[in-house]
Amino acid sequence: SAEAGAYENPNTRSVYRQCLLSPCDDDSSYYLLLSDAVTNADYYPDGLIDGGFVTVSFGGNLIHRFDEFSYGASINFDACANTCDANSLFELELELDFYYTDTSWVLVEDSSSTEIDSVGSYSANNEVVRHTKCLPNLNCGDSRAYTLTISDYYDDGLSNGSPENPNDDGSIKVSVGGDVLCSTTSFVGTEFKCTFTHTSTC
């Protein structure tokens, strides 16, 4: 793990580099958290709303660019995704609501019930989180069905905004190979399911 503390000078460009050891082994997932920390009594969660951006790259390839966030933002990425066929790259983007600990999800390959990826809970409210995962390789012409299940422990989905913006509900976007397969800005209830089929291209 690695971290960087508060920055001292406004409107400056900073570059941070970290060598990832043995990235393409059985556990090649990493989590990056950007926080707008409490620094004084006049704290306001403005993140990068007043300008600025953050880019995250691995192996010389851009993983994601954050142009703005308020409370915080994070990305969970597969370090081996850069060796992944673009058609096989699964991406999940969640905008959490105020009760972030209620939210969890699991991605399962349907025929074998094999868990591909999952998150049990989150650590900050009203943040935008992004996850990437390379789906298992397929032989030419083969296909596999998957189901993503996003759960809410309190049975109200992502329908609770922040105290400052009570109507600012969360959202969900699911993509594979760059194509959006499922999306919603009105998840209310216990579960949101996205079932899709991944087919090889050859």
Side-chain angles (χ1 to χ4, degrees), residues 16-33:
Y16 179 83
R17 294 183 174 90
Q18 175 71 29
C19 183
L20 304 182
L21 301 177
S22 303
C24 288
D25 54 20
D26 292 335
D27 184 11
S28 58
S29 295
Y30 291 85
Y31 176 76
L32 172 68
L33 172 66

Side-chain angles (χ1 to χ4, degrees), residues 4-147:
Y7 295 95
E8 297 179 354
N9 299 314
N11 302 313
T12 58
R13 182 182 295 269
S14 178
V15 177
Y16 179 83
R17 294 183 174 90
Q18 175 71 29
C19 183
L20 304 182
L21 301 177
S22 303
C24 288
D25 54 20
D26 292 335
D27 184 11
S28 58
S29 295
Y30 291 85
Y31 176 76
L32 172 68
L33 172 66
L34 305 174
S35 299
D36 189 39
V38 177
T39 56
N40 55 58
D42 297 325
Y43 163 66
Y44 180 75
D46 57 359
L48 297 177
I49 292 176
D50 291 330
F53 63 90
V54 177
T55 58
V56 182
S57 301
F58 176 76
N61 296 313
L62 178 67
I63 295 174
H64 193 76
R65 171 174 169 137
F66 297 91
D67 286 297
E68 64 177 49
F69 64 88
S70 53
Y71 290 87
S74 67
I75 182 171
N76 181 297
F77 64 93
D78 184 351
C80 292
N82 290 314
T83 65
C84 180
D85 177 68
N87 183 59
S88 299
L89 187 61
F90 166 84
E91 299 176 87
L92 169 62
E93 179 178 308
L94 288 173
E95 181 182 357
L96 300 171
D97 65 3
F98 189 72
Y99 298 104
Y100 58 93
T101 57
D102 294 350
T103 305
S104 62
W105 60 268
V106 60
L107 175 66
V108 172
E109 194 274 310
D110 290 348
S111 65
S112 64
S113 298
T114 300
E115 180 180 311
I116 304 300
D117 204 358
S118 65
V119 167
S121 65
Y122 288 96
S123 58
N125 55 15
N126 299 107
E127 71 172 351
V128 177
V129 293
R130 296 171 177 87
H131 304 269
T132 63
K133 189 71 176 180
C134 189
L135 298 177
N137 291 328
L138 297 174
N139 294 324
C140 184
D142 287 350
S143 62
R144 289 181 184 172
Y146 295 86
T147 298

Side-chain angles (χ1 to χ4, degrees), residues 120-185:
S121 65
Y122 288 96
S123 58
N125 55 15
N126 299 107
E127 71 172 351
V128 177
V129 293
R130 296 171 177 87
H131 304 269
T132 63
K133 189 71 176 180
C134 189
L135 298 177
N137 291 328
L138 297 174
N139 294 324
C140 184
D142 287 350
S143 62
R144 289 181 184 172
Y146 295 86
T147 298
L148 171 71
T149 303
I150 300 175
S151 302
D152 184 82
Y153 176 79
Y154 203 70
D155 197 26
D156 59 359
L158 297 174
S159 62
N160 289 282
S162 65
E164 295 84 2
N165 297 291
N167 296 319
D168 187 15
D169 297 342
S171 62
I172 300 168
K173 184 168 71 174
V174 182
S175 305
V176 174
D179 296 325
V180 177
L181 305 178
C182 303
S183 64
T184 184
T185 57

